[in-house]
């Protein structure tokens, strides 16, 4: 997932379940999940956490994004254990614009399809107190400058 500015990219899935002892990863029927950094478990090895599945076999629940880097030189390489990205990378960025979701299915056989996807962005409002204090501070500065300028004008006469 890439932000509109292109400044940040977060890996949501990266060959989930793939390890050196399981080179093909998990063979489940898909995902109907929500990503949240505050979720208790990382999606990469979700079968270790007694996951829930829909009646059609899709993984359900709220998970931390995979965050493991992609290896463009070797797309079949087993992902490392170090997570290098998280949704926190999108904090304080402008959410307006075109977000990009990049998907690649490199496995042979079968065909994967994205049925739908979406994003929910929660804006944090500016505290009301800060707005009042800022307005009072600017008003005070305006009054001080006006009086100070008047005092300078009297001294120059």
């Amino acid at each position: 997932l890439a932000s509109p500015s292109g400044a940040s990219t977060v890996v949501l899935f990266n060959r989930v379940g793939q390890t050196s002892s399981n080179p093909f990863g998990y063979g489940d029927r898909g995902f109907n999940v929500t990503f949240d950094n505050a979720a208790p478990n990382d999606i990469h090895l979700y079968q270790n956490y007694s996951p829930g599945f829909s009646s059609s076999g899709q993984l359900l629940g709220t998970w931390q994004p995979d965050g493991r880097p992609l290896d463009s030189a070797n797309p079949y390489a087993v992902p490392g254990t170090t997570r290098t990205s998280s949704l926190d990378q999108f904090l304080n960025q402008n959410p307006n614009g075109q977000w990009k979701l990049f998907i690649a299915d490199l496995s042979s056989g079968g065909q994967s399809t994205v049925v739908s996807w979406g994003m929910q962005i929660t804006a944090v409002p500016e505290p009301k107190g800060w707005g009042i204090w800022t307005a009072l501070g600017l008003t005070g500065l305006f009054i001080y400058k006006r009086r100070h300028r008047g005092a300078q004008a009297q001294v120059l006469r």
Side-chain angles (χ1 to χ4, degrees):
L1 180 64
S3 65
S5 68
S8 297
T9 300
V10 175
V11 177
L12 302 176
F13 297 101
N14 185 9
R15 300 178 291 265
V16 292
Q18 185 181 26
T19 63
S20 55
S21 61
N22 182 13
F24 299 107
Y26 299 144
D28 297 315
R29 297 188 46 102
F31 306 92
N32 187 358
V33 297
T34 299
F35 290 106
D36 185 339
N37 281 344
N41 299 312
D42 170 2
I43 199 163
H44 188 74
L45 296 173
Y46 64 81
Q47 286 188 353
N48 293 350
Y49 304 107
S50 302
F53 294 91
S54 70
S55 60
S56 58
Q58 296 174 327
L59 176 68
L60 301 172
T62 300
W63 301 87
Q64 294 173 9
D66 196 328
R68 287 159 182 81
L70 303 173
D71 184 350
S72 58
N74 183 3
Y76 299 101
V78 173
T81 57
T82 304
R83 298 171 73 201
T84 60
S85 65
S86 77
L87 297 173
D88 286 345
Q89 290 177 224
F90 298 134
L91 292 175
N92 300 318
Q93 288 192 27
N94 184 348
N96 299 313
Q98 184 176 354
W99 288 77
K100 295 178 184 171
L101 181 66
F102 172 77
I103 299 169
D105 179 0
L106 302 177
S107 63
S108 60
Q111 181 178 354
S112 295
T113 303
V114 175
V115 176
S116 68
W117 81 282
M119 263 178 49
Q120 180 179 353
I121 297 173
T122 304
V124 179
E126 180 179 321
K128 292 180 182 175
W130 285 109
I132 293 169
W133 286 111
T134 302
L136 289 174
L138 290 173
T139 302
L141 181 63
F142 174 78
I143 292 169
Y144 171 78
K145 287 281 192 182
R146 189 171 179 110
R147 286 185 181 171
H148 186 67
R149 187 175 17 181
Q152 285 181 338
Q154 289 176 0
V155 170
L156 294 175
R157 288 184 193 174

